[in-house]
Amino acid sequence: MEERDLLEAFNLLDYTGEGKILAEDFRVAIKALGYEPTKEELQKMVNGVDKGNTGKLSFENFQTAIMRKIMSLDNDGDIMKSFRLYDMDDTGLISFDNLKTVTHILDIPQTDEEIEEMIDDADVDMNGFVSVDEFMKIIKNSVRIVTP
């Protein structure tokens, strides 16, 4: 989910242009993204980010609520499917070459140094590869939680 797309959706609902949307309009956005939360789930999502109980959400709150919803759908099975996409040679590890191939296929321009850095960031045991556990940790920690 691109931040640009989220910002576009947010701006469509920011009728006053004050940089905030009404909590009840959040339902429109979440439904537009293909989720059908119950009233209770929706209230929980809003309460999770609207700490001051203002009834309004900033873009950061909006983005956090959406990302939490997306990540809650990403169970370990989904993360494993993603891992297997990178682990093309089926070694149980993601190598520099694996990552380089995926960035090339996805047409994400990355220098060798940037790819090296990505691996270094995830590679806790410093063996030059990203294991399943390291990958899981990176994915689960990748959501930036912002509170007002």
Side-chain angles (χ1 to χ4, degrees):
M1 172 103 8
E2 292 278 327
E3 187 168 333
R4 182 180 65 244
D5 297 335
L6 283 178
L7 189 57
E8 206 172 290
F10 179 85
N11 288 335
L12 287 173
L13 297 168
D14 180 13
Y15 305 117
T16 61
E18 67 175 311
K20 295 200 180 278
I21 64 167
L22 296 172
E24 55 260 28
D25 289 334
F26 178 68
R27 184 179 64 81
V28 174
I30 201 86
K31 282 188 154 200
L33 292 168
Y35 304 114
E36 293 285 340
T38 64
K39 269 188 171 158
E40 293 76 29
E41 285 176 308
L42 200 58
Q43 195 57 55
K44 233 167 119 177
M45 290 171 74
V46 168
N47 291 346
V49 292
D50 182 19
K51 299 296 184 203
N53 251 341
T54 63
K56 293 182 177 187
L57 302 178
S58 67
F59 176 67
E60 287 77 20
N61 295 147
F62 172 77
Q63 183 180 30
T64 298
I66 301 270
M67 293 311 286
R68 282 180 180 167
K69 180 66 177 168
I70 292 167
M71 289 307 283
S72 73
L73 300 174
D74 269 350
N75 61 29
D76 289 356
D78 292 337
I79 295 172
M80 280 307 298
K81 283 180 200 158
S82 298
F83 180 84
R84 282 194 211 96
L85 290 175
Y86 287 93
D87 180 22
M88 289 166 241
D89 36 17
D90 209 23
T91 60
L93 298 168
I94 298 171
S95 68
F96 173 85
D97 290 336
N98 293 148
L99 199 49
K100 189 173 174 102
T101 302
V102 171
T103 58
H104 183 72
I105 290 169
L106 297 176
D107 200 24
I108 302 168
Q110 297 280 321
T111 65
D112 285 359
E113 290 77 29
E114 288 169 323
I115 294 171
E116 225 22 276
E117 202 173 298
M118 290 164 75
I119 289 182
D120 289 346
D121 287 347
D123 184 18
V124 179
D125 63 10
M126 309 298 269
N127 66 352
F129 297 94
V130 178
S131 69
V132 173
D133 290 339
E134 290 165 338
F135 187 77
M136 288 266 193
K137 222 174 263 165
I138 284 286
I139 297 297
K140 289 180 176 180
N141 293 333
S142 67
V143 177
R144 216 178 35 145
I145 304 300
V146 179
T147 52

